[in-house]
């Protein structure tokens, strides 16, 4: 059974085909902790390998527990199919490698999670894939950096520290007529931001954050909107349109719709070529853990969103704070983008700039008792970090400012504790910040 509902609350519990385990009637999704699956016959095995029949072959490529997670994520995002992977970093890596090879380029937003920045600016460059960085405040910057070898555009829906919403529709509209898909990392905006509604072709997630929510498991996913015509400008997407020597010469973009009646070329190739060859599979146990998180995501997000508004309003009026960075308080073009893309609150990331700079930032963090001082976001617990002395300390002061990190900047990921307790703890930090220096 699969539900017709469009409501996230229902989709996270009933999205996809899983109702109960076929052999035991188990309602909870079983952990299929197996590496392999017995073939019924040589014909069955050969049909599976030739994709003439869909079924389990080997857990590096697919697994029934992972499949439940994949189907529910696809349903939640309004996509057609998904691929669960070992981490959000793997998801971003494979999404790009599924389209770009050495000699090609992609155009990416400058506003990125630091790990993705390193992946793009160093690792991909070393592999011969050039990443050109465009300032997303003007979407036309993506067009300006495009050439014949550009295979994809990339952005993060809600990048910190600036928390400016990415112009999804504007950039998707530039790319589509050119045959260039927009890939968006929606790690910070599940449910709150719906990239497929605005023209994104592919969504990536780090499941490690809000979707898992409990801070127990690293995981990632790619979701395919099946809304992009990979054959429209075939020379633009050679990996999907030219014969693939690693899969008996198949031309994915034309063969897959003929075989499956839907344009699933991207997500199928990601699984049976990129994941098959590079092996960044998620363990079924982590998929199980992440499903536990996913099932309560809509409920948790409501509370995250409410708590963050209360925290941001409190901080805005505090004398130790010179600025609060929170989508609700954006102005000008960024306010318009918040109103266009953010439908259910403003998320639970809040940035503050402490008037007294770097020493105030350190004193603030050291005085916190309830908040965890960790390099993570999206946990059920409230988290805080002072980037200038930690995640961004290897950058020069000028580079820090370019990324939006001022000396007194502190990032908060507002958790699910009672807001009075979160604010009481922040007061301790602010008192220490005021006394510093
Ligand atoms: N994308 C974003 C926006 C992130 O914040 C992170 C991690 O912080 C990642 C990707 C990488 O995810 P993972 O840690 O699951 O590899």
């Amino acid at each position: 059974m699969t539900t017709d509902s469009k409501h996230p609350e229902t989709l996270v519990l009933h999205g996809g085909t899983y109702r109960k385990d076929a052999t035991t009637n188990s309602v909870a999704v079983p952990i299929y902790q197996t590496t392999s699956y017995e073939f019924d016959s040589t014909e069955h095995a050969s049909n599976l390998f030739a994709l003439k029949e869909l079924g389990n072959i080997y857990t590096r490529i697919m697994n029934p527990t992972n499949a439940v997670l994949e189907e529910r994520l696809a349903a939640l995002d309004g996509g057609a199919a998904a691929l669960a992977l070992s981490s959000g970093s793997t998801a971003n890596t494979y999404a790009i490698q599924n389209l770009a090879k050495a000699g090609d380029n992609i155009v990416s937003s400058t506003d990125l999670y630091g790990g993705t920045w390193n992946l793009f600016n160093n690792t991909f460059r070393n592999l011969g894939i050039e990443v050109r960085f465009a300032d997303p405040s003007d979407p036309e910057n993506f067009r300006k950096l495009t050439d014949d070898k550009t295979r994809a555009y990339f952005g993060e829906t809600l990048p910190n520290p600036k928390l400016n919403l990415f112009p999804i529709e504007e950039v998707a509209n530039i790319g589509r007529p050119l045959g260039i898909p927009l890939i968006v990392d929606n790690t910070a905006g599940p449910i709150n931001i719906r990239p497929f509604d605005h023209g994104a072709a592919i969504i990536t997630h780090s499941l490690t954050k809000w979707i898992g929510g409990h801070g127990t498991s690293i995981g990632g996913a790619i979701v395919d909107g099946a809304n992009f015509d990979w054959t429209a400008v075939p020379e633009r997407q050679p990996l999907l349109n030219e014969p693939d020597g690693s899969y008996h010469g198949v031309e994915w973009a034309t063969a897959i719709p003929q075989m499956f009646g839907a344009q699933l070329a991207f997500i199928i190739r990601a699984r049976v070529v990129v994941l098959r060859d590079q092996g960044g599979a998620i363990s079924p146990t982590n998929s199980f853990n992440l499903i536990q998180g996913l099932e309560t995501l809509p409920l948790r997000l409501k509370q995250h969103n409410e708590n963050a508004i209360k925290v941001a309003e409190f901080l805005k009026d505090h004398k130790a704070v010179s600025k609060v960075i929170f989508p609700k308080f954006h102005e000008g073009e960024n306010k318009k983008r918040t109103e266009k893309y953010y439908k259910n609150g403003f998320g639970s990331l809040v940035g503050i700039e402490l008037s007294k700079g770097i020493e105030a930032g350190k004193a603030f963090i050291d005085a916190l008792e309830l908040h965890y001082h960790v390099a993570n976001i999206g946990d059920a617990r409230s988290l805080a970090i002072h980037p200038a002395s930690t995640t961004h300390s290897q950058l020069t002061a000028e580079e820090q400012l370019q990324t939006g990190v001022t000396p007194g900047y502190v990032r908060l990921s507002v958790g699910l504790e009672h807001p009075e307790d979160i604010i009481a703890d922040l007061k301790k930090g602010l008192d220490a910040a005021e006394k510093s220096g």
Side-chain angles (χ1 to χ4, degrees):
M1 187 210 118
T2 153
T3 173
D4 295 333
S5 176
K6 296 274 177 268
H7 298 293
E9 294 81 354
T10 307
L11 290 169
V12 293
L13 292 160
H14 300 279
T17 50
Y18 182 84
R19 173 76 188 174
K20 60 183 178 183
D21 178 56
T23 48
T24 62
N25 282 3
S26 160
V27 172
V29 179
I31 304 174
Y32 288 96
Q33 195 69 38
T34 180
T35 57
S36 21
Y37 309 85
E38 191 178 32
F39 305 121
D40 297 336
S41 63
T42 49
E43 189 193 0
H44 176 224
S46 123
N47 283 345
L48 291 178
F49 277 95
L51 298 181
K52 284 188 191 150
E53 202 179 313
L54 287 182
N56 296 313
I57 298 175
Y58 187 60
T59 284
R60 173 158 27 87
I61 308 170
M62 74 282 280
N63 171 280
T65 312
N66 300 351
V68 177
L69 177 64
E70 287 161 348
E71 288 188 13
R72 287 195 193 167
L73 286 170
L76 184 64
D77 275 341
L83 175 62
L85 293 159
S86 58
S87 70
S89 306
T90 311
N92 285 333
T93 305
Y94 288 7
I96 304 296
Q97 287 182 323
N98 204 27
L99 298 175
K101 60 181 186 317
D104 295 339
N105 67 70
I106 66 160
V107 181
S108 167
S109 168
T110 43
D111 295 356
L112 293 175
Y113 158 62
T116 307
W117 175 274
N118 274 331
L119 168 71
F120 285 2
N121 200 38
N122 299 306
T123 301
F124 274 164
R125 202 171 291 278
N126 290 340
L127 292 171
I129 298 170
E130 184 195 352
V131 181
R132 302 172 173 189
F133 292 101
D135 176 353
S137 59
D138 180 1
E140 283 298 318
N141 288 332
F142 280 77
R143 193 194 306 275
K144 286 182 196 148
L145 292 173
T146 301
D147 69 10
D148 289 351
K149 295 276 187 184
T150 304
R151 305 289 176 234
Y153 292 156
F154 185 94
E156 267 178 35
T157 51
L158 183 69
N160 72 78
K162 295 180 198 161
L163 302 180
N164 290 333
L165 278 105
F166 184 78
I168 304 171
E169 187 177 302
E170 293 85 339
V171 176
N173 284 347
I174 293 171
R176 216 166 260 271
L178 302 171
I180 302 174
L182 172 64
I183 302 171
V184 284
D185 178 335
N186 198 25
T187 297
I191 299 180
N192 287 339
I193 305 170
R194 294 189 50 85
F196 289 145
D197 292 354
H198 303 287
I202 304 295
I203 297 174
T204 60
H205 291 284
S206 166
L207 306 175
T208 316
K209 319 293 175 188
W210 287 267
I211 289 179
H214 301 102
T216 63
S217 308
I218 302 268
I222 304 175
V223 186
D224 188 340
N227 61 12
F228 196 83
D229 184 359
W230 303 100
T231 62
V233 190
E235 65 279 12
R236 176 67 75 183
Q237 300 299 344
L239 289 180
L240 292 177
N241 284 286
E242 290 176 2
D244 188 337
S246 87
Y247 227 102
H248 42 74
V250 68
E251 292 168 21
W252 297 102
T254 43
I256 292 295
Q258 284 164 15
M259 289 161 87
F260 298 104
Q263 185 44 288
L264 296 172
F266 183 92
I267 203 74
I268 290 183
R269 186 182 186 277
R271 182 187 297 279
V272 302
V273 175
V274 187
L275 173 60
R276 175 198 66 182
D277 294 353
Q278 299 190 85
I282 188 167
S283 92
T285 302
N286 270 4
S287 280
F288 173 83
N289 294 339
L290 293 165
I291 288 168
Q292 306 315 299
L294 185 64
E295 291 188 346
T296 58
L297 178 69
L299 195 58
R300 284 186 290 108
L301 279 183
K302 278 186 198 140
Q303 197 62 45
H304 275 298
N305 288 346
E306 274 178 32
N307 284 0
I309 291 171
K310 287 185 182 145
V311 164
E313 297 283 359
F314 158 75
L315 291 165
K316 193 158 65 79
D317 299 326
H318 199 284
K319 56 184 181 307
V321 177
S322 52
K323 188 171 178 195
V324 177
I325 299 119
F326 187 56
K328 184 169 193 262
F329 305 148
H330 285 340
E331 288 170 0
E333 194 56 37
N334 285 317
K335 180 181 165 75
K336 283 193 207 144
R337 287 197 186 137
T338 301
E339 285 166 356
K340 176 170 177 179
Y341 293 115
Y342 232 132
K343 295 297 178 206
N344 309 299
F346 303 96
S348 50
L349 292 176
V350 180
I352 51 173
E353 283 175 13
L354 295 164
S355 332
K356 288 192 171 175
I358 193 150
E359 292 310 318
K362 290 188 205 166
F364 176 89
I365 296 282
D366 285 337
L368 297 175
E369 291 172 6
L370 186 81
H371 285 73
Y372 281 84
H373 180 205
V374 296
N376 192 22
I377 49 175
D379 197 292
R381 302 153 193 84
S382 287
L383 316 174
I385 196 155
H386 175 233
S389 62
T390 56
T391 50
H392 288 59
S393 58
Q394 276 104 26
L395 303 188
T396 63
E398 199 183 322
E399 286 169 334
Q400 288 187 7
L401 285 179
Q402 275 170 5
T403 64
V405 169
T406 55
Y409 178 85
V410 171
R411 182 185 73 200
L412 302 173
S413 175
V414 180
L416 299 177
E417 302 91 344
H418 195 285
E420 284 175 12
D421 296 327
I422 301 174
I423 289 172
D425 198 46
L426 291 173
K427 279 184 185 157
K428 291 180 195 156
L430 293 170
D431 284 349
E434 278 194 293
K435 287 186 196 129
S436 69

